[in-house]
Amino acid sequence: MVRITIQLWEGGEFLTSGARYNCKPWGLPTYKFVLDLGDAIQGGKGTIDKEPFQTSYIRLAELYLIYAEALAETGNNVKALEQINKVRARVGLGKLEVMNPELNLTTNKENLIKEIMRERACELGFEYENRLHDMNRRVMEKDFKKHLHGIHIYRLDDDNDLVLEKWTKDSGDPFPTKFLYVPYDLNEGDATAVGYTIIKDGKESKIESPTGMTANPRFVWDNPGRWSNKWLLVPLPPDEINKNYGLTQNPGWY
């Protein structure tokens, strides 16, 4: 098994297929399903551009979670938890009901459904818009209005000083394991510097870093009242409705 090192901190660098990319401070790329990532000097085979991009159309973990949701809807919480825990055990996580005793997941259907949605978001992240479809079918209005944020990642040395440069095997240092994570809001417009204070030896020093940018922020962030549940369903083609075979328009659309 080839171990690939990917440097996601500001100033870090990762290599893929011989091309160089500086890690971006406004988010984390995903490497699900990518095989043999990396140039030969980082341990990869450097042949990713010549290989098919392999993804699973449906995975066993998703089947377990679908079954768990169906069981929870029928009130069989204990059996549903058995299915969820099969997925969690694969990655070394404890049983959901044991890790969250305050939620009473063996008896509380509402809490269990919420946890299943969270498990789906974690397990199926970045796969085929699963999260979007879950939010639609569960009418998760609050999540559509929720402000998103990104993460700045800063590499620190043993003295908690910032190291804004890439790591190389030739440096003689072990691969970095100490980092500072600074969340920031996504907003519209140009990046502006924001200050973040770090304490070292009783003294304060400030990190100036750009805020996140997005060319298409959610328009409901500034005015949540703009949201309409009609967007949970797409409008049906008027031509089909006008054929008069009983098809009616989805609520809110004309």
Side-chain angles (χ1 to χ4, degrees):
M1 179 177 179
V2 176
R3 182 176 179 180
I4 306 300
T5 57
I6 301 174
Q7 305 179 29
L8 298 179
W9 61 84
E10 294 196 30
E13 183 180 70
F14 63 90
L15 303 178
T16 175
S17 305
R20 294 179 178 270
Y21 299 89
N22 289 322
C23 292
K24 305 303 181 184
W26 51 80
L28 303 179
T30 174
Y31 292 96
K32 269 193 171 182
F33 310 120
V34 176
L35 304 180
D36 296 330
L37 177 67
D39 217 315
I41 64 173
Q42 282 200 318
K45 295 181 180 180
T47 58
I48 188 171
D49 287 340
K50 300 177 182 178
E51 300 292 334
F53 186 75
Q54 302 182 39
T55 62
S56 302
Y57 185 74
I58 188 168
R59 298 193 288 115
L60 182 59
E62 184 174 4
L63 295 179
Y64 283 133
L65 294 174
I66 290 171
Y67 187 29
E69 188 177 348
L71 289 167
E73 284 289 3
T74 61
N76 197 340
N77 287 26
V78 174
K79 187 70 172 178
L81 285 164
E82 290 178 4
Q83 310 309 311
I84 299 169
N85 290 332
K86 290 177 183 178
V87 178
R88 293 172 60 85
R90 188 194 82 246
V91 293
L93 294 176
K95 292 184 177 181
L96 188 61
E97 67 275 22
V98 174
M99 305 306 294
N100 301 275
E102 73 284 357
L103 297 179
N104 301 313
L105 296 177
T106 57
T107 57
N108 191 310
K109 173 182 173 180
E110 182 179 356
N111 284 351
L112 180 55
I113 293 292
K114 289 180 179 178
E115 286 303 300
I116 291 173
M117 291 301 104
R118 187 185 65 80
E119 289 289 332
R120 288 180 59 85
C122 295
E123 177 66 29
L124 306 174
F126 305 104
E127 296 181 34
Y128 307 110
E129 298 185 337
N130 275 294
R131 180 60 177 171
L132 174 62
H133 297 316
D134 286 348
M135 290 168 65
N136 281 339
R137 63 189 180 84
R138 284 288 172 184
V139 194
M140 299 167 71
E141 180 180 338
K142 290 183 180 179
D143 283 1
F144 280 106
K145 297 178 181 179
K146 185 189 301 180
H147 281 246
L148 300 180
H149 69 273
I151 294 287
H152 292 300
I153 303 177
Y154 297 97
R155 173 186 169 189
L156 301 177
D157 61 18
D158 291 337
D159 295 322
N160 285 336
D161 288 324
L162 294 180
V163 182
L164 299 177
E165 59 186 34
K166 66 181 180 179
W167 173 87
T168 64
K169 292 181 179 179
D170 297 332
S171 66
D173 298 324
F175 189 79
T177 58
K178 193 172 185 180
F179 302 98
L180 173 68
Y181 301 91
V182 182
Y184 63 90
D185 289 331
L186 292 174
N187 49 49
E188 186 176 14
D190 296 332
T192 56
V194 294
Y196 185 85
T197 302
I198 183 172
I199 307 295
K200 181 192 173 188
D201 298 330
K203 297 180 180 179
E204 293 187 357
S205 59
K206 242 185 179 183
I207 300 171
E208 294 293 338
S209 59
T211 59
M213 290 191 301
T214 173
N216 187 25
R218 291 179 179 172
F219 70 93
V220 296
W221 287 352
D222 293 332
N223 186 355
R226 296 174 179 175
W227 174 261
S228 171
N229 279 357
K230 78 174 188 178
W231 290 311
L232 299 174
L233 298 172
V234 297
L236 300 174
D239 288 346
E240 290 299 312
I241 296 174
N242 293 337
K243 291 178 181 178
N244 294 320
Y245 54 80
L247 186 65
T248 58
Q249 186 58 274
N250 282 325
W253 298 101
Y254 302 97

